[in-house]
Amino acid sequence: LEPKKVNYEAGQFILVKIQENPEMYRAYSISSYNEDGTTVSVTIKKMKDGYGTNIIFDGFKVGDVIELEGPMGHELVVDKKAEKLLLVAGGIGITPFIPIVTDLVRNESNVKDFKLVYGANLEKEFIYVDEFEELEKQSDKFEFIRVAAFDENWKGDKGFVTDYMKKIDLKEYKIYMCGPKPMINASVKVLNSLGVDKKNINYESA
């Protein structure tokens, strides 16, 4: 990296320059957790018709010098003064929660209870499961819940992340969400119906 260190907070994103003419960038959540700031990583899902992801997957090579801008965004930088947190991820929206959960597990904070609800259509679409299950073992404050919407063979919670939200009293929770716009819109609607204060709802579309 140049500079040698990048100061970022868990939950921020970074812009990756994908082409020079016309100049174009794509935003990706930072998915690494590195306390000394000497590395930074993003996790990218290749989309069939994705202009940016196809350039990255087909054109970027190991050793290329890539221009980044950032870090940016504070929508998902959690309030560590809160006692209860609900983290909600849909699909590739799981990526910013890797450094967020790692930070909460490893570092002291006022948080006494935090849950990560991760929704996907099928079990095979879940990523970073081993990492989150290992973090769950390291902290009795952290609970990791997966919810599959359309997988008949899935043995865990079924349905949508909104179905899980309805099961618990969220009025004391600060909520941070990242996922597709339809998930975010449906979740905000449910949270409003449950009486969650708007100031406790934070989100970013994946």
Side-chain angles (χ1 to χ4, degrees):
L1 291 174
E2 179 61 44
K4 296 298 182 185
K5 292 189 177 184
V6 176
N7 295 318
Y8 59 87
E9 295 180 86
Q12 288 190 293
F13 65 89
I14 204 157
L15 297 181
V16 179
K17 189 173 185 179
I18 60 169
Q19 67 180 30
E20 183 66 42
N21 190 21
E23 190 174 65
M24 193 173 294
Y25 293 79
R26 286 291 185 270
Y28 296 105
S29 296
I30 296 172
S31 60
S32 57
Y33 181 80
N34 183 256
E35 290 179 315
D36 65 7
T38 57
T39 64
V40 62
S41 65
V42 296
T43 301
I44 302 171
K45 179 179 181 180
K46 185 177 183 180
M47 304 301 291
K48 183 180 178 182
D49 299 316
Y51 184 78
T53 56
N54 277 293
I55 288 176
I56 290 171
F57 277 82
D58 299 336
F60 283 25
K61 302 183 299 298
V62 174
D64 285 353
V65 175
I66 305 301
E67 186 176 328
L68 309 174
E69 281 194 15
M72 301 176 177
H74 281 85
E75 289 81 1
L76 296 181
V77 176
V78 303
D79 178 4
K80 294 182 183 178
K81 295 178 182 178
E83 292 191 353
K84 294 183 177 182
L85 299 172
L86 178 68
L87 313 174
V88 183
I92 197 64
I94 191 65
T95 55
F97 294 112
I98 302 162
I100 289 171
V101 172
T102 303
D103 184 33
L104 288 169
V105 168
R106 292 183 183 175
N107 297 316
E108 289 295 322
S109 70
N110 290 331
V111 180
K112 296 177 180 177
D113 170 28
F114 60 106
K115 308 176 191 297
L116 171 60
V117 184
Y118 180 14
N121 289 327
L122 304 170
E123 180 182 4
K124 66 181 181 181
E125 295 175 358
F126 291 122
I127 58 174
Y128 292 110
V129 173
D130 291 345
E131 286 83 353
F132 286 116
E133 288 183 341
E134 181 58 36
L135 287 166
E136 190 177 29
K137 292 176 185 176
Q138 296 174 26
S139 174
D140 57 5
K141 300 178 182 179
F142 174 50
E143 184 180 2
F144 177 47
I145 304 103
R146 285 183 288 161
V147 182
F150 306 113
D151 195 327
E152 295 179 0
N153 298 317
W154 172 242
K155 305 300 182 186
D157 285 84
K158 295 182 179 180
F160 300 99
V161 293
T162 48
D163 295 318
Y164 182 84
M165 290 177 183
K166 295 173 184 177
K167 295 180 182 180
I168 55 178
D169 183 358
L170 292 173
K171 290 181 182 178
E172 295 182 11
Y173 282 80
K174 281 217 165 189
I175 298 158
Y176 297 85
M177 304 184 291
C178 185
K181 284 185 179 179
M183 184 209 87
I184 296 294
N185 293 338
S187 297
V188 170
K189 187 175 181 179
V190 167
L191 291 170
N192 288 336
S193 71
L194 294 172
V196 177
D197 193 320
K198 288 182 179 180
K199 73 175 187 295
N200 290 330
I201 302 173
N202 307 273
Y203 55 85
E204 182 179 285
S205 293

